[in-house]
Amino acid sequence: MKEKIIVDTKERLSTISPDIYGHFSEHLGSCIYGGFWVGKNSDIPNIHGYNKAVVEAFKALDIPNLRWPGGCFADTYHWKDGVGPQESRKKMVNTMWGGVTEDNSFGTHEFLGLCDELGCKPYICGNVGSGSVQETSEWIEYMTNGGISPMADLRRANGREEPWKVPFFGIGNESWGWGGFMRPDYYADLYLQYQTFIKQYGESKIEKFAVGPNSEDYNWTDVVMKRAHNFMDGFSLHYYTFAYRYEDKTDATGFNKEVYYRTLRGALKMDEIVRRHSEIMDKYDPEKKISLVVDEWGNWFKPTPGTNPGFLMQDNSVTDALVAGLTLNIFNNHADRVRVANLAQAVNVLQSPVLTKGDKIVLVGEEGNGKSSLLKWIFQPNLLADYMDAEGERIIRDEYLGYLPQELPKECREYTEFAEKEIGVPIKMVSNGPSRNDIIYR
């Protein structure tokens, strides 16, 4: 039986936004400290204090945007504690995650500098839970005002002459939960107050994102959209995948077939959730000007045994790859509404594509570019010695792994470029037959 795929280049539905491939970096576990940030005086190779290997990994991923400082941490974070000379910054206890003391050496300048290194857009989440309108307003002024003002002058005194561009700003995080346990009508009024004082300095627009629902809380969406839709650019949605539910998390590895299929079913639930929230948004925003921002998504399993349970570190398996593929495809199918999304999280937390331990780093899911840590360990473990430790049983039955240079024939290359131009979407893989070995990576 022959399979046929027909691509109608004349029927255009909507453009898939590159920003759905965003990532999330929270002050949680070792995502920031020990992940992205090791400090300028660290023995670990670094670029101005950023872990060199982690920076290079995310540069290779070409991520479009990075969310910071939370997450739940955002509603405890006071930005002025994280600017100025690092040695004189106020220490703080991270009461949201693990109760550890942080020295605030990674603050506004360091985060925006990281985004510059990665070539990605910064997405900053403001403190509504324990902060103030003035604090948020002054943070915006500090970062984006190129003129003369108290906060712009403070930025210059701290070593940054030119303002930054901050294209995305979230007003609070999970205000229905640990961001304040607010009612939707109360949060809607707070949102309207806060957004009023987020001033647009210069020509670079800041898109303002309101706190949206937790999973299937459709009432939250209806109430907040009805009250505040005329004053927002984006509306967030958080949905994590569980085999059963939040209270009954399963192991990240070593699971049985039932857990495997229940996890995939949980991922597919995203389609219904996005669709139903979009239908409510359509009542108040029929022209779809407001983005549905899925800024926390991914698998949430039990923490890796032997680690601090408050750090949410978990191992990865092929299930994570399948959940990511299913979820991103759902975002593609709802591209008219879902225009920003962030996988939780970037390094060492939940469904992370990068794991670190000291000066060692593992890149998860690299298959297809000839650099898979897993495949190296199976076939040529000596190649891992300079950047990771690995243990386990290796079973090899006389197979040998090789990578062949791949290039499309001229006619196929020209047609692929034509298709990319017509549909407005980059084509990364081209199948030349029914087998996975017949895939050509561009």
Side-chain angles (χ1 to χ4, degrees), residues 32-56:
I32 298 297
Y33 299 104
F36 277 116
W37 182 255
V38 295
K40 298 177 182 179
N41 298 323
S42 173
D43 292 334
I44 297 173
N46 66 86
I47 304 170
H48 310 302
Y50 310 115
N51 187 320
K52 184 173 182 289
V54 174
V55 168
E56 290 175 348

mmCIF file of all heavy atoms in Angstrom, residues 32-56:
data_model
loop_
_atom_site.group_PDB
_atom_site.id
_atom_site.type_symbol
_atom_site.label_atom_id
_atom_site.label_comp_id
_atom_site.label_asym_id
_atom_site.label_seq_id
_atom_site.Cartn_x
_atom_site.Cartn_y
_atom_site.Cartn_z
ATOM 1 N N ILE A 32 19.496 27.828 37.519
ATOM 2 C CA ILE A 32 20.313 29.044 37.389
ATOM 3 C C ILE A 32 21.694 28.797 37.993
ATOM 4 O O ILE A 32 22.695 28.710 37.288
ATOM 5 C CB ILE A 32 19.613 30.242 38.072
ATOM 6 C CG1 ILE A 32 18.262 30.538 37.392
ATOM 7 C CG2 ILE A 32 20.527 31.475 38.003
ATOM 8 C CD1 ILE A 32 18.358 30.967 35.942
ATOM 9 N N TYR A 33 21.756 28.685 39.319
ATOM 10 C CA TYR A 33 23.034 28.490 39.993
ATOM 11 C C TYR A 33 23.473 27.030 39.858
ATOM 12 O O TYR A 33 22.818 26.118 40.368
ATOM 13 C CB TYR A 33 22.928 28.884 41.464
ATOM 14 C CG TYR A 33 22.559 30.339 41.656
ATOM 15 C CD1 TYR A 33 21.275 30.723 42.031
ATOM 16 C CD2 TYR A 33 23.507 31.340 41.434
ATOM 17 C CE1 TYR A 33 20.944 32.062 42.197
ATOM 18 C CE2 TYR A 33 23.184 32.683 41.596
ATOM 19 C CZ TYR A 33 21.899 33.041 41.977
ATOM 20 O OH TYR A 33 21.573 34.372 42.122
ATOM 21 N N GLY A 34 24.588 26.825 39.140
ATOM 22 C CA GLY A 34 25.049 25.480 38.843
ATOM 23 C C GLY A 34 24.566 24.970 37.505
ATOM 24 O O GLY A 34 24.987 23.914 37.048
ATOM 25 N N GLY A 35 23.675 25.738 36.881
ATOM 26 C CA GLY A 35 23.190 25.413 35.547
ATOM 27 C C GLY A 35 23.697 26.441 34.557
ATOM 28 O O GLY A 35 24.804 26.326 34.024
ATOM 29 N N PHE A 36 22.897 27.484 34.348
ATOM 30 C CA PHE A 36 23.348 28.570 33.468
ATOM 31 C C PHE A 36 24.522 29.342 34.078
ATOM 32 O O PHE A 36 25.422 29.777 33.367
ATOM 33 C CB PHE A 36 22.199 29.549 33.202
ATOM 34 C CG PHE A 36 21.267 29.132 32.109
ATOM 35 C CD1 PHE A 36 19.935 28.852 32.379
ATOM 36 C CD2 PHE A 36 21.704 29.017 30.798
ATOM 37 C CE1 PHE A 36 19.061 28.475 31.365
ATOM 38 C CE2 PHE A 36 20.843 28.651 29.777
ATOM 39 C CZ PHE A 36 19.520 28.374 30.064
ATOM 40 N N TRP A 37 24.509 29.528 35.385
ATOM 41 C CA TRP A 37 25.454 30.444 36.030
ATOM 42 C C TRP A 37 26.403 29.693 36.959
ATOM 43 O O TRP A 37 25.967 28.958 37.843
ATOM 44 C CB TRP A 37 24.670 31.491 36.824
ATOM 45 C CG TRP A 37 25.500 32.535 37.510
ATOM 46 C CD1 TRP A 37 25.776 32.625 38.851
ATOM 47 C CD2 TRP A 37 26.159 33.656 36.909
ATOM 48 N NE1 TRP A 37 26.557 33.729 39.115
ATOM 49 C CE2 TRP A 37 26.810 34.381 37.932
ATOM 50 C CE3 TRP A 37 26.269 34.114 35.606
ATOM 51 C CZ2 TRP A 37 27.542 35.541 37.700
ATOM 52 C CZ3 TRP A 37 27.007 35.277 35.362
ATOM 53 C CH2 TRP A 37 27.629 35.969 36.394
ATOM 54 N N VAL A 38 27.694 29.887 36.741
ATOM 55 C CA VAL A 38 28.705 29.302 37.633
ATOM 56 C C VAL A 38 29.587 30.381 38.255
ATOM 57 O O VAL A 38 30.348 30.099 39.190
ATOM 58 C CB VAL A 38 29.589 28.281 36.885
ATOM 59 C CG1 VAL A 38 28.751 27.081 36.445
ATOM 60 C CG2 VAL A 38 30.297 28.910 35.679
ATOM 61 N N GLY A 39 29.486 31.612 37.759
ATOM 62 C CA GLY A 39 30.294 32.708 38.285
ATOM 63 C C GLY A 39 31.591 32.894 37.517
ATOM 64 O O GLY A 39 32.150 31.945 36.976
ATOM 65 N N LYS A 40 32.057 34.115 37.496
ATOM 66 C CA LYS A 40 33.250 34.441 36.708
ATOM 67 C C LYS A 40 34.520 33.800 37.253
ATOM 68 O O LYS A 40 35.472 33.578 36.507
ATOM 69 C CB LYS A 40 33.415 35.962 36.642
ATOM 70 C CG LYS A 40 32.270 36.680 35.952
ATOM 71 C CD LYS A 40 32.449 38.188 35.978
ATOM 72 C CE LYS A 40 31.273 38.890 35.320
ATOM 73 N NZ LYS A 40 31.401 40.369 35.354
ATOM 74 N N ASN A 41 34.547 33.515 38.556
ATOM 75 C CA ASN A 41 35.754 32.956 39.166
ATOM 76 C C ASN A 41 35.716 31.435 39.269
ATOM 77 O O ASN A 41 36.572 30.835 39.924
ATOM 78 C CB ASN A 41 35.950 33.559 40.559
ATOM 79 C CG ASN A 41 36.158 35.066 40.506
ATOM 80 O OD1 ASN A 41 36.807 35.580 39.596
ATOM 81 N ND2 ASN A 41 35.588 35.770 41.473
ATOM 82 N N SER A 42 34.744 30.811 38.634
ATOM 83 C CA SER A 42 34.606 29.356 38.706
ATOM 84 C C SER A 42 35.704 28.657 37.915
ATOM 85 O O SER A 42 36.206 29.176 36.911
ATOM 86 C CB SER A 42 33.235 28.938 38.164
ATOM 87 O OG SER A 42 33.125 27.540 38.076
ATOM 88 N N ASP A 43 36.071 27.448 38.381
ATOM 89 C CA ASP A 43 37.007 26.622 37.620
ATOM 90 C C ASP A 43 36.333 26.019 36.391
ATOM 91 O O ASP A 43 37.011 25.542 35.475
ATOM 92 C CB ASP A 43 37.548 25.489 38.505
ATOM 93 C CG ASP A 43 38.442 26.006 39.627
ATOM 94 O OD1 ASP A 43 39.043 27.092 39.454
ATOM 95 O OD2 ASP A 43 38.523 25.338 40.674
ATOM 96 N N ILE A 44 35.008 26.013 36.377
ATOM 97 C CA ILE A 44 34.274 25.515 35.221
ATOM 98 C C ILE A 44 34.400 26.531 34.084
ATOM 99 O O ILE A 44 34.198 27.734 34.306
ATOM 100 C CB ILE A 44 32.785 25.291 35.578
ATOM 101 C CG1 ILE A 44 32.660 24.222 36.659
ATOM 102 C CG2 ILE A 44 31.974 24.899 34.340
ATOM 103 C CD1 ILE A 44 31.252 24.048 37.206
ATOM 104 N N PRO A 45 34.774 26.100 32.887
ATOM 105 C CA PRO A 45 34.898 27.055 31.776
ATOM 106 C C PRO A 45 33.634 27.886 31.629
ATOM 107 O O PRO A 45 32.515 27.338 31.594
ATOM 108 C CB PRO A 45 35.119 26.149 30.557
ATOM 109 C CG PRO A 45 35.739 24.916 31.124
ATOM 110 C CD PRO A 45 35.104 24.722 32.470
ATOM 111 N N ASN A 46 33.813 29.206 31.573
ATOM 112 C CA ASN A 46 32.639 30.078 31.539
ATOM 113 C C ASN A 46 32.861 31.289 30.653
ATOM 114 O O ASN A 46 34.004 31.659 30.347
ATOM 115 C CB ASN A 46 32.255 30.504 32.956
ATOM 116 C CG ASN A 46 33.295 31.398 33.616
ATOM 117 O OD1 ASN A 46 33.292 32.615 33.457
ATOM 118 N ND2 ASN A 46 34.218 30.775 34.366
ATOM 119 N N ILE A 47 31.765 31.880 30.254
ATOM 120 C CA ILE A 47 31.760 33.118 29.477
ATOM 121 C C ILE A 47 31.117 34.186 30.348
ATOM 122 O O ILE A 47 29.903 34.191 30.551
ATOM 123 C CB ILE A 47 30.960 32.959 28.165
ATOM 124 C CG1 ILE A 47 31.498 31.794 27.340
ATOM 125 C CG2 ILE A 47 30.974 34.254 27.358
ATOM 126 C CD1 ILE A 47 30.611 31.435 26.154
ATOM 127 N N HIS A 48 31.914 35.049 30.938
ATOM 128 C CA HIS A 48 31.422 36.095 31.828
ATOM 129 C C HIS A 48 30.569 35.530 32.960
ATOM 130 O O HIS A 48 29.611 36.171 33.408
ATOM 131 C CB HIS A 48 30.619 37.145 31.053
ATOM 132 C CG HIS A 48 31.302 37.671 29.837
ATOM 133 N ND1 HIS A 48 32.543 38.280 29.875
ATOM 134 C CD2 HIS A 48 30.931 37.667 28.523
ATOM 135 C CE1 HIS A 48 32.902 38.629 28.655
ATOM 136 N NE2 HIS A 48 31.950 38.267 27.821
ATOM 137 N N GLY A 49 30.886 34.304 33.407
ATOM 138 C CA GLY A 49 30.147 33.693 34.497
ATOM 139 C C GLY A 49 29.113 32.673 34.059
ATOM 140 O O GLY A 49 28.612 31.903 34.885
ATOM 141 N N TYR A 50 28.774 32.636 32.773
ATOM 142 C CA TYR A 50 27.814 31.652 32.263
ATOM 143 C C TYR A 50 28.567 30.373 31.903
ATOM 144 O O TYR A 50 29.625 30.432 31.264
ATOM 145 C CB TYR A 50 27.098 32.169 31.015
ATOM 146 C CG TYR A 50 26.520 33.560 31.151
ATOM 147 C CD1 TYR A 50 27.008 34.622 30.390
ATOM 148 C CD2 TYR A 50 25.487 33.816 32.052
ATOM 149 C CE1 TYR A 50 26.493 35.900 30.520
ATOM 150 C CE2 TYR A 50 24.964 35.105 32.187
ATOM 151 C CZ TYR A 50 25.469 36.135 31.425
ATOM 152 O OH TYR A 50 24.956 37.396 31.560
ATOM 153 N N ASN A 51 28.017 29.232 32.292
ATOM 154 C CA ASN A 51 28.619 27.948 31.954
ATOM 155 C C ASN A 51 28.778 27.853 30.441
ATOM 156 O O ASN A 51 27.799 27.865 29.703
ATOM 157 C CB ASN A 51 27.740 26.807 32.472
ATOM 158 C CG ASN A 51 28.377 25.445 32.302
ATOM 159 O OD1 ASN A 51 29.012 25.146 31.290
ATOM 160 N ND2 ASN A 51 28.192 24.578 33.291
ATOM 161 N N LYS A 52 30.020 27.773 29.991
ATOM 162 C CA LYS A 52 30.320 27.817 28.556
ATOM 163 C C LYS A 52 29.620 26.695 27.794
ATOM 164 O O LYS A 52 29.053 26.908 26.721
ATOM 165 C CB LYS A 52 31.825 27.747 28.326
ATOM 166 C CG LYS A 52 32.271 27.882 26.875
ATOM 167 C CD LYS A 52 33.801 27.962 26.806
ATOM 168 C CE LYS A 52 34.290 28.159 25.366
ATOM 169 N NZ LYS A 52 34.097 26.918 24.578
ATOM 170 N N ALA A 53 29.648 25.484 28.349
ATOM 171 C CA ALA A 53 29.042 24.346 27.655
ATOM 172 C C ALA A 53 27.533 24.495 27.552
ATOM 173 O O ALA A 53 26.924 24.136 26.535
ATOM 174 C CB ALA A 53 29.391 23.051 28.380
ATOM 175 N N VAL A 54 26.905 25.038 28.606
ATOM 176 C CA VAL A 54 25.447 25.238 28.581
ATOM 177 C C VAL A 54 25.078 26.310 27.559
ATOM 178 O O VAL A 54 24.112 26.159 26.799
ATOM 179 C CB VAL A 54 24.932 25.606 29.987
ATOM 180 C CG1 VAL A 54 23.441 25.958 29.939
ATOM 181 C CG2 VAL A 54 25.168 24.457 30.959
ATOM 182 N N VAL A 55 25.844 27.396 27.539
ATOM 183 C CA VAL A 55 25.590 28.450 26.553
ATOM 184 C C VAL A 55 25.703 27.902 25.136
ATOM 185 O O VAL A 55 24.850 28.157 24.273
ATOM 186 C CB VAL A 55 26.563 29.632 26.757
ATOM 187 C CG1 VAL A 55 26.524 30.593 25.568
ATOM 188 C CG2 VAL A 55 26.225 30.380 28.042
ATOM 189 N N GLU A 56 26.752 27.126 24.887
ATOM 190 C CA GLU A 56 26.937 26.565 23.548
ATOM 191 C C GLU A 56 25.811 25.607 23.185
ATOM 192 O O GLU A 56 25.367 25.553 22.029
ATOM 193 C CB GLU A 56 28.289 25.869 23.466
ATOM 194 C CG GLU A 56 29.473 26.840 23.503
ATOM 195 C CD GLU A 56 30.810 26.136 23.541
ATOM 196 O OE1 GLU A 56 30.835 24.903 23.770
ATOM 197 O OE2 GLU A 56 31.843 26.817 23.362
#
